[in-house]
Amino acid sequence: MIDVNRQGEVWVFAEQHGGLLEDTPIELMSKGRHLADILGVQLGAMLLGDNVKGLAKKLIQYGADKVYLAEHPLLEHYQTNSYAKIIYDLIHKYKPQIVIYGATAVGRDLGPRIASVIKAGLTADCTDLQIGDHKTTDGQMHKNLLFQIRPAFGGNIIATIINYDRWPQMATVREGVMVMATPDTARKGQVITEKVQLSPQELPIEILEEHTRAKKVDLKAARIIVAGGAGLGSKDNFRLIWDLANCLGGAPAATRAAVDLGFIDHDHQVGQTGTTVRPSLYIAVGISGAIQHQSGMNQSQKIVAINNDPQAPIFDVAHYKIVGDLNDVVPKMIKAIKEKGFKEAIGEGK
Amino acid sequence: MAYNCVVLVKQVPDTKRVTGKAMNDDGTVNRAALPAIFNPEDLNALEMALDIKDRFGGTVTVITMGLPAAVAILKDALYRGADEAILVTDARCAASDTLATSYILSCAVKRIKYDIVLCGRQAIDGDTAQVGPQLAEKLGIPQITYVEKPVEIEGQTITAQRNIGNGWQKVKTQLPVLLTVTGEANVPRVAAAKKMMKYKAAMTPAGVEQKIKADNSHASDDEIKEMAVQKCSEMDKKGLLIEQWNLDFLKADLTWCGRSGSPTKVHRIQSVVLASKDTKSIEPTDDGLAGMIHELLEDKIIA
C-alpha cells in the first residue's frame, strides 16, 4: 500500500510492441503532461522491453521529463507477471501519485494485476481525466485528486471516480480519446535505467505463436467518415456507404449493429466497442444513434444524419438533419456532390 | 484426466435494453428500468467449463457474489449443466469495487479444489474486465485473458488462443490457471429440459426459510427454524440446495470488503446528456442537398 504523496509524479505506461510505440501511450503523454503541469510535478514514462532505449527520446519529445527504462531480453514480449513485477517495483521505489495505462489489450490485462498487488484503485476505460477537489460526506476536503471519468451502465451514465486514501491513483484510458500533441524536438529529459531481475516464476506463460495484422482502415486519421447502420438492410445495399465515402474521399465506417450483421469488417466500427473518431465531417446513414455509438463520434466537427425516423436519437447530435429514405437521399447526395464539385472546379455556382 | 472448473458469474442489469430512464432523479441508478440477466460473457465462461467437463471429465462449480435474487442465474447455470452452485451474499459486500470483489471471491474460490478458474471477459454493467486479473493475482496463479477459442489441455498443460486486439496469440502454461473468456469463444448451450425439471425447486437455505415462513404464518420463529433445517437437509440429499456463504463463513478480513476495502469511490454520477447543438433540417430533395453540400464546401468541411 502506498500512502498519499502530494509530491509524487504523474506516470504513463509507454506500451511498445516490437520496438515501436503504440499511439495510445503517445496520446496519454499529452494528457499526462497537462495533469503534471496542473499539479506542478514531473511527468514520467515507464518504458519496458528489450533494446527499446531509442524510444525514450520520442517520449521526451511528447512531454516526458523522465523515462524509467527497464530493459531485459525476457521483457521483449509482454507477459502479465513479468511486466507487473517490474512496474510494481518501480511504483514502490518512486511513489508516483498518478499512473495511467492505455485501455488496450495489454493495459487491461496488466493494470488490474498491478492494482491487486498494490491494493490500489484502478478505474477502467476512462474517456477523460481531470484534476479536482472532493468533499467526503463527513466534510473532509481532498484537494487536487485525479478525476477518473468514464461511461458506465453501457454508456447510459457518466461516472467520475476518485481514490483519496490509497495511492497511486490509477486509470486505464480508452484508445483514441486523448488528442496527440505535436512533438517538441528541442525538449530535454532524463533517462533513468533500472536494474532488472526476473525469476522463472515471473514468466509462467510460454508464447507459442502470435499473429498480428494492420487495421484495414485508419478511422482515427480520416477527415471525412461516412458511417452506415443496420438501416442499410443488407451487405449489398451497404455499397451506398462505400460510394458516398469514395466520392468524398472519406473512409467508410459502421455501427456495431451493421458489423454484427456482417455488412462490413470490425475494423470499420465506430463507438464504444470500436474506434473513437473526431473527423471534420461525419455522415451517419441509417443509424438510430444508440448512446454506445454516439460516444464514439459526437466530437466530430460537423455531423450529417440521414434517417427515416424523425425521432431517431442520432438527430440530437446532428448539425444537419435529413429525414428521408436513405436509398433515395444517398444517391441524390452523391449527385449533388459530383455536380457541385464540378461547378466549383470550373468557377460556376458562386 | 479430469479437471475441476470454477466459474465466476454475475447477475447484471441488461444495459442494452434500458426500458426507461437509466437514472432516478436523485442520481441513483434506476434498477427497475434495467431487467436483470446472466452476464453474457459469463455464459461463454460457463460453456468453456462445461466443454472441458464433457471432454475430460471433472466438475463445474459456479459461484456468484450478489443479492439473494442472483440465485436466478445460479439455477440457470444448473439447468445448463453445472454440478454445483454457490451464492456469496452478505450486506457487508455492498459498495465493493473490483478490488474488494476480487478479494471476496478469492476467499470463496480458495475453499474449493480447482484446476481452472473461468470468468467472462467483462460484465456489461461496468465493462471493467478487472475482476478476473485481480482474482488471479489474489489466488497467486497465472491468467490468460481474452480467450477466444476452446482450450486444449494435456496433463497439467493448457494451451489457449487469446485475442490481443490487432490479432491473436497462442499461449501455454501449467495448471492451475485463470481464464477470462470472450463472447467469440463458443456458443453457450441452452438449458436442458431434464435439468430444468430437476433443479426448478433448487433454493438457498435462506430461500427455504423464507418460503416456510410464508407458508406457515402462525408458526413461531423457532418452529420455522426447525422446519427449515429439516427441509434443507432433505433438499441437500436431493442435490437441490444451493450453498449460501457469507463473509463470516469465508473468514474474510472485513477491512478488505465492501466500502472499506474499495479504494475507488464515486465522486459524481451524471446522466448522459449529449450536447444539443443547433440542428438544421435539410429537405431530402436535390435542391436541399445541394444547398447543404454548398455550405459544407464554404465552411471548408469538405474540399
Side-chain angles (χ1 to χ4, degrees):
Chain A
M1 266 170 74
I2 309 253
D3 290 333
V4 172
N5 159 28
R6 299 271 169 201
Q7 279 70 50
E9 296 171 350
V10 174
W11 279 11
V12 170
F13 170 59
E15 181 177 345
Q16 60 83 24
H17 292 278
L20 294 172
L21 279 173
E22 299 285 301
D23 278 356
T24 313
I26 298 175
E27 292 160 12
L28 296 187
M29 292 309 293
S30 57
K31 186 46 132 182
R33 182 71 262 163
H34 178 69
L35 299 174
D37 288 342
I38 295 173
L39 295 168
V41 299
Q42 296 208 302
L43 175 65
M46 291 183 280
L47 180 60
L48 282 68
D50 186 31
N51 280 321
V52 290
K53 198 176 178 183
L55 300 175
K57 203 168 130 192
K58 192 169 177 185
L59 292 166
I60 291 166
Q61 289 176 358
Y62 277 100
D65 298 305
K66 291 179 183 169
V67 176
Y68 296 92
L69 177 70
E71 285 185 312
H72 195 284
L74 291 175
L75 292 175
E76 183 186 353
H77 298 288
Y78 167 75
Q79 267 215 31
T80 319
N81 294 42
S82 53
Y83 271 55
K85 181 195 184 275
I86 302 291
I87 293 176
Y88 171 79
D89 288 346
L90 280 171
I91 291 174
H92 251 264
K93 188 166 165 190
Y94 295 100
K95 302 188 172 28
Q97 60 175 303
I98 291 172
V99 182
I100 49 183
Y101 311 80
T104 59
V106 165
R108 301 182 96 209
D109 181 81
L110 175 65
R113 190 99 191 183
I114 295 169
S116 181
V117 190
I118 309 183
K119 298 186 168 63
L122 176 69
T123 302
D125 240 359
C126 293
T127 50
D128 196 10
L129 299 172
Q130 294 170 7
I131 301 294
D133 302 336
H134 175 77
K135 200 173 174 180
T136 57
T137 41
D138 59 5
Q140 275 185 61
M141 194 68 175
H142 298 275
K143 286 198 159 304
N144 289 332
L145 294 176
L146 180 68
F147 280 4
Q148 303 145 43
I149 299 161
R150 73 182 303 264
F153 279 91
N156 293 291
I157 58 173
I158 298 286
T160 301
I161 310 293
I162 44 159
N163 24 321
Y164 50 76
D165 49 5
R166 273 188 264 153
W167 284 21
Q169 306 165 84
M170 304 208 296
T172 66
V173 175
R174 188 174 297 173
E175 299 174 64
V177 298
M178 303 297 175
V179 182
M180 211 185 272
T182 344
D184 173 359
T185 49
R187 247 184 137 267
K188 294 268 180 290
Q190 193 186 351
V191 178
I192 298 153
T193 308
E194 295 293 322
K195 225 190 219 146
V196 175
Q197 271 182 324
L198 287 168
S199 62
Q201 76 191 45
E202 273 119 28
L203 294 145
I205 306 274
E206 189 186 335
I207 300 166
L208 303 174
E209 244 184 291
E210 189 169 295
H211 291 263
T212 56
R213 55 177 183 85
K215 282 209 168 190
K216 289 178 184 153
V217 59
D218 186 5
L219 289 179
K220 278 202 273 181
R223 275 196 72 240
I224 296 174
I225 290 175
V226 181
L232 268 297
S234 71
K235 191 174 179 176
D236 280 348
N237 214 31
F238 205 82
R239 279 249 45 108
L240 283 171
I241 299 300
W242 291 88
D243 292 345
L244 182 54
N246 281 341
C247 85
L248 283 165
T255 61
R256 180 177 177 162
V259 170
D260 286 350
L261 287 165
F263 296 175
I264 194 168
D265 187 87
H266 177 265
D267 284 355
H268 294 265
Q269 188 176 316
V270 168
Q272 199 165 310
T273 48
T275 308
T276 302
V277 298
R278 49 167 77 76
S280 309
L281 177 63
Y282 191 92
I283 305 180
V285 183
I287 292 175
S288 63
I291 211 109
Q292 292 84 354
H293 184 73
Q294 288 190 16
S295 69
M297 49 66 79
N298 63 3
Q299 298 297 314
S300 305
Q301 200 184 339
K302 287 279 181 208
I303 297 167
V304 174
I306 304 165
N307 203 297
N308 56 8
D309 172 11
Q311 303 303 323
I314 192 74
F315 289 131
D316 297 342
V317 294
H319 301 88
Y320 292 100
K321 171 180 183 174
I322 306 169
V323 179
D325 178 0
L326 62 94
N327 296 302
D328 170 56
V329 175
V330 174
K332 275 184 183 159
M333 202 148 138
I334 292 171
K335 193 173 130 211
I337 291 160
K338 285 187 174 157
E339 279 177 5
K340 209 67 192 169
F342 178 68
K343 275 183 196 161
E344 305 211 347
I346 59 167
E348 284 179 27
K350 291 208 170 157
Chain B
M1 177 137 194
Y3 301 98
N4 295 318
C5 293
V6 175
V7 188
L8 284 313
V9 300
K10 186 180 185 186
Q11 189 180 45
V12 292
D14 188 354
T15 52
K16 300 271 183 315
R17 285 183 192 75
V18 180
T19 55
K21 265 171 66 182
M23 302 279 295
N24 295 317
D25 290 333
D26 62 359
T28 56
V29 173
N30 178 18
R31 287 189 184 268
L34 300 159
I37 57 165
F38 204 125
N39 181 53
E41 285 178 321
D42 296 351
L43 283 173
N44 298 100
L46 174 62
E47 176 58 35
M48 187 166 283
L50 293 170
D51 174 57
I52 291 170
K53 183 182 142 186
D54 289 347
R55 282 154 61 202
F56 305 100
T59 59
V60 175
T61 304
V62 177
I63 303 179
T64 192
M65 175 180 124
L67 298 170
V71 91
I73 63 164
L74 292 178
K75 284 171 79 169
D76 191 350
L78 291 168
Y79 299 160
R80 290 171 200 257
D83 300 295
E84 211 175 321
I86 298 159
L87 172 71
V88 176
T89 190
D90 194 310
R92 293 166 294 180
C93 293
S96 289
D97 70 0
T98 63
L99 190 73
T101 301
S102 66
Y103 170 70
I104 297 164
L105 290 175
S106 74
C107 295
V109 174
K110 279 175 183 168
R111 303 188 69 90
I112 301 165
K113 208 169 152 285
Y114 65 84
D115 300 295
I116 305 167
V117 181
L118 302 99
C119 310
R121 175 188 59 130
Q122 64 189 39
I124 58 169
D125 53 348
D127 294 314
T128 74
Q130 289 184 176
V131 170
Q134 290 182 327
L135 176 59
E137 193 279 324
K138 301 242 175 292
L139 296 171
I141 61 174
Q143 69 199 45
I144 302 177
T145 49
Y146 313 123
V147 177
E148 60 174 8
K149 285 223 163 123
V151 292
E152 294 153 39
I153 316 175
E154 239 187 275
Q156 288 299 304
T157 306
I158 185 164
T159 308
Q161 181 171 321
R162 58 188 297 263
N163 184 320
I164 51 169
N166 60 341
W168 55 266
Q169 198 179 51
K170 203 168 236 182
V171 298
K172 194 166 100 171
T173 195
Q174 299 298 304
L175 300 179
V177 68
L178 180 141
L179 311 176
T180 79
V181 182
T182 73
E184 283 77 47
N186 50 42
V187 179
R189 68 194 64 187
V190 294
K194 259 190 178 166
K195 290 191 187 292
M196 273 178 94
M197 297 297 285
K198 176 174 177 192
Y199 289 114
K200 210 165 63 185
M203 250 186 253
T204 60
V208 171
E209 195 173 320
Q210 215 170 29
K211 188 166 183 299
I212 289 174
K213 211 169 183 172
D215 294 346
N216 301 277
S217 50
H218 299 298
S220 73
D221 285 358
D222 285 344
E223 284 168 333
I224 286 168
K225 275 228 167 77
E226 202 175 307
M227 282 189 267
V229 169
Q230 200 189 339
K231 179 82 183 161
C232 283
S233 91
E234 275 169 35
M235 288 182 62
D236 197 17
K237 274 180 206 141
K238 290 187 215 154
L240 293 179
L241 197 66
I242 292 175
E243 290 216 41
Q244 183 178 326
W245 295 353
N246 65 15
L247 295 179
D248 299 326
F249 178 80
L250 293 179
K251 297 194 177 68
D253 181 343
L254 296 180
T255 53
W256 297 112
C257 302
R259 191 173 294 279
S260 68
S262 302
T264 59
K265 318 268 193 263
V266 175
H267 169 68
R268 183 171 56 208
I269 295 275
Q270 293 156 291
S271 249
V272 173
V273 183
L274 292 152
S276 72
K277 298 171 181 168
D278 291 332
T279 306
K280 195 167 174 176
S281 281
I282 302 291
E283 286 304 311
T285 59
D286 286 332
D287 283 353
L289 293 166
M292 180 185 77
I293 298 297
H294 182 70
E295 269 189 42
L296 291 171
L297 278 163
E298 291 240 298
D299 293 346
K300 303 213 178 332
I301 296 294
I302 54 179

